Amino acid sequence: MPTESTFLLAGLFLLLAAAGWALGRFGERDEVDEAPAPLNVDYLKGLNFLLNEQTDQALEHFLNMVRVDDKTIETHFALGSLFRRRGEVDRAIRIHQNIIARPDLGSDQRDQALFSLAQDYQKAGLLDRAENMLANLAQGSRHQVEALERLCRIYEQEKEWQRAIDAGQKLEVLSGRSLALQIAHYYCELADSAVAAGDFAAARSYVKKSQAGRPRTQRGALTRAAIAQATDDSRTALRLFERVVDDASYLMTEALPQLVAIHRERDSLKALNKHLKTLIQSNQHASKEIAYTAIVHDIGGVDVIDRCVEEYMLNERTLAEFIDIQNIRDEDDRREALAKVRAALSKLAASTPRYQCKECGFSSQQLLWQCPSCKAWETQRPFASVQFDSLLQRSGIIDY
Ligand SMILES: [Zn+2]
């Protein structure tokens, strides 16, 4: 059965055939005696191949046709891009290579063909080839901005962060728009690699660069905290994790477990309780975020955190309906019931996504600084609560 893109391809042929006929019919009005040009037989033949799903024959037919008709080059580009979009990259590559091989090609058309071919290679996963072509196009062609944007994507994919920084900075100059956040994250990636390799001096220098002339990212603070932890500077680590929790409570799941661990080590849980109390008073979402983090990371034994978890469980609509905790009179029974619910929630949280991209909705278990789906940076946020409604529904425990 012909697919949707087959009809698109066929539509292109039809449009061109119609345009050719209209030109022939109305283009030269003074030659009144001349009969209108017939529909182009070549187009109709190509159309027939496409409608019969004989894509190979259609492709060959079209490649031969372009050789004899220079005016069809835009259709050629459109076909190449359609083939690429429907995943037939080999065919797209053949079409674009065929254009490039034309000896009489103008420089704009050559650049367009090279840019299209680079996109084909990128789509086919031939990143080295795409990278070389895009790097050339980034040097002054009319596609230089788009080429640099694509180069950034390729370097991100290859984790070539220094090259991504260079391309990003060039792109900032050429496009006139700020890529401050994106470039800050590139530096943070380099810093994280340096931390993993134990090169803390390099890591500090990258974090510094990530913040030079740019707004301070929370990620930079987390990386600096990780460096401080790794170099036994728990005071600095505490200060930075506290700052993250205060300024960006959506990163509670990253910072709170570390805060608890350091305070436990320093035997200063009292100070942690005081800090969290102040935070809850000034930020109405903090209590829920603390509870969610404690459930997800199974953190217990800290007064303020335990109270947040209890409040969370008592206020959760689905849970309240599921287990009637409010009506359990005996305090021990009540504690036991709450402990069981908490353990069950931890298990559920471990098997459901914890983060979701606020731009495209992509969800994941781990915090990802760059969304794998829409490629935006720092757009993931933790779910406001454990995603257990759907699990309970699926298991048949509750029925909506
Ligand atoms: Zn996204």
Side-chain angles (χ1 to χ4, degrees):
M1 222 176 111
T3 59
E4 190 190 341
S5 45
T6 305
F7 282 116
L8 277 172
L9 286 168
L12 260 176
F13 274 94
L14 264 182
L15 268 176
L16 260 140
W21 179 81
L23 271 175
R25 178 75 180 78
F26 303 112
E28 297 170 30
R29 280 173 178 270
D30 29 342
E31 294 174 38
V32 282
D33 291 332
E34 198 176 308
L39 279 171
N40 188 318
V41 175
D42 266 341
Y43 282 119
L44 291 178
K45 207 169 164 189
L47 173 69
N48 197 36
F49 280 136
L50 283 171
L51 284 175
N52 288 320
E53 283 285 282
Q54 293 169 285
T55 323
D56 281 330
Q57 287 93 326
L59 178 67
E60 293 306 328
H61 181 78
F62 189 73
L63 290 179
N64 290 329
M65 215 169 74
V66 166
R67 245 176 249 146
V68 295
D69 184 0
D70 189 44
K71 285 174 190 152
T72 56
I73 195 157
E74 285 307 322
T75 318
H76 212 135
F77 278 122
L79 268 176
S81 121
L82 271 173
F83 276 129
R84 187 198 315 124
R85 267 169 44 198
R86 67 179 205 175
E88 297 173 56
V89 189
D90 288 352
R91 292 191 169 113
I93 289 174
R94 280 202 61 196
I95 287 199
H96 294 131
Q97 281 174 336
N98 192 55
I99 299 180
I100 292 166
R102 292 170 64 92
D104 54 342
L105 206 59
S107 66
D108 279 0
Q109 286 175 332
R110 169 169 293 276
D111 280 353
Q112 191 182 344
L114 288 169
F115 184 58
S116 302
L117 189 57
Q119 291 178 70
D120 299 338
Y121 286 144
Q122 192 175 0
K123 173 109 181 187
L126 302 167
L127 297 188
D128 283 355
R129 286 191 202 182
E131 185 188 324
N132 286 337
M133 297 184 75
L134 291 169
N136 284 330
L137 287 163
Q139 321 251 343
S141 81
R142 58 191 276 250
H143 295 281
Q144 57 186 357
V145 168
E146 293 153 292
L148 283 166
E149 284 167 352
R150 285 183 172 270
L151 272 178
C152 282
R153 288 285 102 83
I154 290 176
Y155 294 141
E156 286 166 2
Q157 213 175 324
E158 292 177 330
K159 302 195 182 303
E160 293 266 12
W161 302 114
Q162 189 55 57
R163 287 184 169 184
I165 291 166
D166 296 341
Q169 285 173 337
K170 208 171 161 192
L171 184 55
E172 274 190 319
V173 175
L174 286 173
S175 68
R177 62 175 204 268
S178 167
L179 299 176
L181 183 71
Q182 188 175 323
I183 294 175
H185 275 283
Y186 292 160
Y187 277 117
C188 286
E189 291 286 348
L190 285 172
D192 285 351
S193 303
V195 170
D199 187 351
F200 300 116
R204 279 195 196 95
S205 144
Y206 286 132
V207 173
K208 227 178 187 174
K209 283 183 183 166
S210 84
Q211 294 172 338
R214 298 183 185 86
R216 290 190 162 212
T217 61
Q218 298 299 333
R219 183 180 182 183
L222 283 175
T223 306
R224 280 168 62 209
I227 296 170
Q229 259 181 313
T231 51
D232 293 327
D233 182 2
S234 62
R235 257 187 74 193
T236 306
L238 268 187
R239 182 174 54 78
L240 289 162
F241 281 130
E242 281 173 359
R243 202 183 89 192
V244 171
V245 163
D246 289 346
D247 294 351
S249 56
Y250 68 88
L251 288 172
M252 187 72 74
T253 46
E254 301 302 304
L256 186 61
Q258 307 294 335
L259 267 181
V260 173
I262 298 172
H263 275 296
R264 279 216 166 105
E265 213 171 278
R266 291 165 63 102
D267 201 17
S268 55
L269 285 177
K270 224 175 157 183
L272 175 64
N273 274 316
K274 199 176 157 203
H275 179 206
L276 293 178
K277 246 189 218 167
T278 315
L279 176 65
I280 292 165
Q281 277 163 6
S282 63
N283 179 347
Q284 52 168 336
H285 303 294
S287 171
K288 202 170 180 184
E289 279 155 348
I290 290 169
Y292 179 68
T293 303
I295 289 167
V296 165
H297 289 275
D298 207 9
I299 301 169
V302 182
D303 293 346
V304 174
I305 297 179
D306 287 345
R307 268 206 300 282
C308 289
V309 174
E310 187 169 330
E311 204 177 297
Y312 173 88
M313 290 193 290
L314 294 175
N315 289 333
E316 181 58 56
R317 188 182 62 86
T318 315
L319 278 179
E321 285 171 13
F322 185 46
I323 43 160
D324 198 9
I325 288 181
Q326 303 278 22
N327 287 328
I328 301 177
R329 298 274 169 241
D330 185 87
E331 187 56 27
D332 285 345
D333 289 351
R334 189 167 171 277
R335 295 239 147 262
E336 199 183 325
L338 280 171
K340 275 185 185 164
V341 172
R342 183 176 172 154
L345 278 180
S346 284
K347 274 188 192 161
L348 287 172
S351 61
T352 50
R354 296 178 190 174
Y355 295 91
Q356 188 168 42
C357 172
K358 64 179 180 176
E359 296 295 322
C360 74
F362 179 89
S363 57
S364 63
Q365 266 285 318
Q366 302 293 324
L367 172 70
L368 305 167
W369 292 109
Q370 184 180 28
C371 172
S373 176
C374 71
K375 312 292 180 199
W377 288 93
E378 217 173 314
T379 50
Q380 281 205 320
R381 295 289 178 271
F383 279 107
S385 54
V386 181
Q387 301 295 295
F388 57 90
D389 289 28
S390 59
L391 276 173
L392 293 176
Q393 264 174 293
R394 251 185 287 151
S395 64
I397 295 173
I398 55 170
D399 187 20
Y400 284 108

